[in-house]
Amino acid sequence: ELFEILKTKNILDKKETLYLNISKLFFERKEYDKSLEMMEKAIEQNSKDENILIYAGIISLKIGKEKNNIEVLEKSLNYFNQANTINPSSEYLNSNWAIALYELAKIKKDENLYTLSIEKFELSGHSLESDAELNYLFGLALKELGKIKTNLSLEIRSFEHFNKAKEINPKNYAAHLLVAEFLLKKGMFFKDFNVLNECYENLKIG
């Protein structure tokens, strides 16, 4: 969808369009390193379009996540930061930026990065209404920061997003398991059979 926006931009010249199309082809073939190489050539032609920079950030995020590579994840953050200076309200920016920060926070176990990722998730707006995976990752970021800071309110917020994730996509079994985990703690603490029963129902699905 983001690529379609790029194609309709009147500012794209022929060489830039060629690089974008080749990048998309490599991305669809899961040849992400080659896809990024082509996208970087497109950036050389036009470094002032936030969508091109976001697309480069998304590819870098994909590579960094798969390879657990700090340097590539930091590269994705750099692309998102550049895009932010051009258009901070871009629909695609904050959600992908949030995920990149979360992935880097996981590797570095960095409280500040978790906090920044949560800030970006909160700016993801309409995407949170319909994106199960985004809610799931938002929940994970809140859960991890809650554990680091021993903050119950963050863990409660994480439960809300896991719940949202499974509502949007009932086949998100990992979200069902995390909802069950939270309900088990709550049910045991309050000795509430109804909560424990709800926990069991989620556990069956997960």
Side-chain angles (χ1 to χ4, degrees):
E1 192 175 347
L2 177 59
F3 188 79
E4 296 307 313
I5 293 173
L6 290 170
K7 287 204 301 184
T8 60
K9 289 265 188 177
N10 293 327
I11 57 173
L12 297 183
D13 62 26
K14 290 182 180 178
K15 186 179 288 188
E16 186 178 338
T17 305
L18 177 63
Y19 287 138
L20 289 168
N21 277 292
I22 295 172
S23 176
K24 185 186 180 189
L25 179 62
F26 279 131
F27 191 88
E28 289 174 346
R29 292 172 58 178
K30 303 187 188 306
E31 297 183 53
Y32 301 121
D33 290 301
K34 291 179 180 178
S35 178
L36 181 59
E37 183 183 344
M38 290 298 104
M39 190 54 59
E40 286 173 340
K41 288 185 181 296
I43 291 171
E44 288 174 9
Q45 301 297 313
N46 177 16
S47 62
K48 300 299 182 185
D49 187 290
E50 77 275 7
N51 291 304
I52 295 175
L53 292 164
I54 293 169
Y55 196 78
I58 291 170
I59 302 168
S60 301
L61 169 57
K62 187 75 175 175
I63 296 168
K65 185 176 179 180
E66 286 195 349
K67 296 182 177 180
N68 215 35
N69 188 308
I70 290 175
E71 184 179 340
V72 181
L73 286 170
E74 288 177 340
K75 189 176 190 177
S76 75
L77 295 182
N78 183 50
Y79 284 127
F80 294 138
N81 190 51
Q82 289 180 62
N84 186 62
T85 62
I86 298 167
N87 181 10
S89 61
S90 172
E91 179 183 351
Y92 297 94
L93 174 59
N94 289 307
S95 56
N96 287 291
W97 201 350
I99 295 168
L101 285 162
Y102 166 69
E103 292 297 334
L104 195 56
K106 273 200 309 182
I107 298 172
K108 289 189 168 185
K109 304 189 187 311
D110 187 309
E111 180 180 327
N112 185 52
L113 286 171
Y114 277 121
T115 301
L116 289 172
S117 75
I118 288 166
E119 289 174 3
K120 297 303 177 187
F121 277 120
E122 288 170 340
L123 293 171
S124 297
H126 296 302
S127 298
L128 286 169
E129 295 303 314
S130 57
D131 192 325
E133 185 65 13
L134 193 62
N135 276 281
Y136 176 69
L137 293 172
F138 191 0
L140 288 176
L142 289 162
K143 187 174 187 290
E144 289 305 312
L145 187 60
K147 282 165 61 179
I148 291 170
K149 300 180 75 170
T150 321
N151 187 320
L152 182 59
S153 66
L154 288 172
E155 293 198 45
I156 292 170
R157 286 182 64 197
S158 76
F159 163 75
E160 292 168 358
H161 286 284
F162 294 141
N163 216 31
K164 181 75 172 175
K166 74 181 183 67
E167 285 173 4
I168 296 170
N169 178 15
K171 292 185 178 180
N172 189 325
Y173 302 121
H176 281 281
L177 286 173
L178 288 166
V179 166
E181 178 187 303
F182 179 87
L183 291 171
L184 177 61
K185 289 179 184 176
K186 181 180 177 182
M188 294 294 286
F189 183 81
F190 290 106
K191 300 187 179 351
D192 188 324
F193 179 77
N194 290 329
V195 172
L196 290 170
N197 188 55
E198 189 181 349
C199 165
Y200 174 66
E201 292 303 318
N202 277 279
L203 196 58
K204 283 197 298 184
I205 297 170

